[in-house]
Amino acid sequence: MIEAEITGGRYHLHRIALAPLLPGATGETLATASTAAVASGEPMFQQFLLEQGLAPLWDAEIKAHQGSLPFSKEFRNRLRQARHQATGAYLAQRESLLQIRCILEHAGISHVTFKGADSRERYYEEPALRPAVDIDLLVAPEHRLAAIRTLRQN
């Protein structure tokens, strides 16, 4: 049943890529998805994972289920490299988020950070695996200009 759910259809690569990442996925799900990925073309699947920001998550799954999966050494190395890059980007973004909070708090400007960069800290065991490309900040309309000036000055 798992294989039938993963293979075929318009969003074939999406189904393969997401199957082992969904709640309730098992090592069997990863093995089935891996076989389908290789059958679809390993280079194309690798590129898809990289473009969608899923390569670090797949690297974590592969590492967690140290079974015999059909991927080449190059494929695994590229996913591991993407995971290391994601970790570096995460650390830089986390530092920026902390600086923004500190600057605005010091200036007495009420604010809320939310979505990607902020929520991954709350909900993910390994936040670096969850990609985020920006920092979402909410400031009251009457404090917007002061927040912009303060952040530009710092």
Side-chain angles (χ1 to χ4, degrees):
M1 179 67 176
I2 293 172
E3 188 171 344
E5 292 173 3
I6 292 174
T7 59
R10 183 175 180 192
Y11 296 103
H12 177 67
L13 290 179
H14 295 80
R15 286 188 186 92
I16 295 170
L18 294 174
L21 306 178
L22 296 173
T26 64
E28 179 187 343
T29 309
L30 178 62
T32 302
S34 298
T35 300
V38 170
S40 296
E42 187 181 91
M44 181 174 64
F45 185 67
Q46 175 183 293
Q47 188 61 36
F48 181 82
L49 292 177
L50 293 167
E51 289 172 358
Q52 300 300 316
L54 298 173
L57 292 165
W58 263 74
D59 183 62
E61 286 301 312
I62 289 170
K63 188 175 181 181
H65 294 91
Q66 291 289 327
S68 59
L69 297 174
F71 297 115
S72 68
K73 184 177 180 180
E74 292 78 18
F75 178 89
R76 291 178 189 226
N77 286 341
R78 184 61 186 104
L79 265 55
R80 189 171 308 110
Q81 180 184 26
R83 187 175 182 179
H84 292 164
Q85 289 170 338
T87 300
Y90 159 73
L91 291 172
Q93 194 173 49
R94 181 172 178 233
E95 180 62 26
S96 294
L97 182 61
L98 293 172
Q99 287 178 356
I100 289 168
R101 286 179 177 155
C102 184
I103 290 166
L104 293 176
E105 286 170 12
H106 183 14
I109 299 171
S110 295
H111 64 283
V112 175
T113 53
F114 63 106
K115 293 182 7 183
D118 181 65
S119 64
R120 69 179 171 192
E121 294 290 330
R122 300 173 209 236
Y123 303 116
Y124 292 90
E125 185 176 326
E126 193 174 339
L129 296 179
R130 181 69 180 114
V133 295
D134 61 4
I135 296 173
D136 297 288
L137 186 64
L138 185 63
V139 177
E142 62 270 16
H143 300 293
R144 252 187 242 150
L145 290 177
I148 291 168
R149 278 191 214 109
T150 301
L151 290 171
R152 280 188 175 168
Q153 292 170 354
N154 292 283

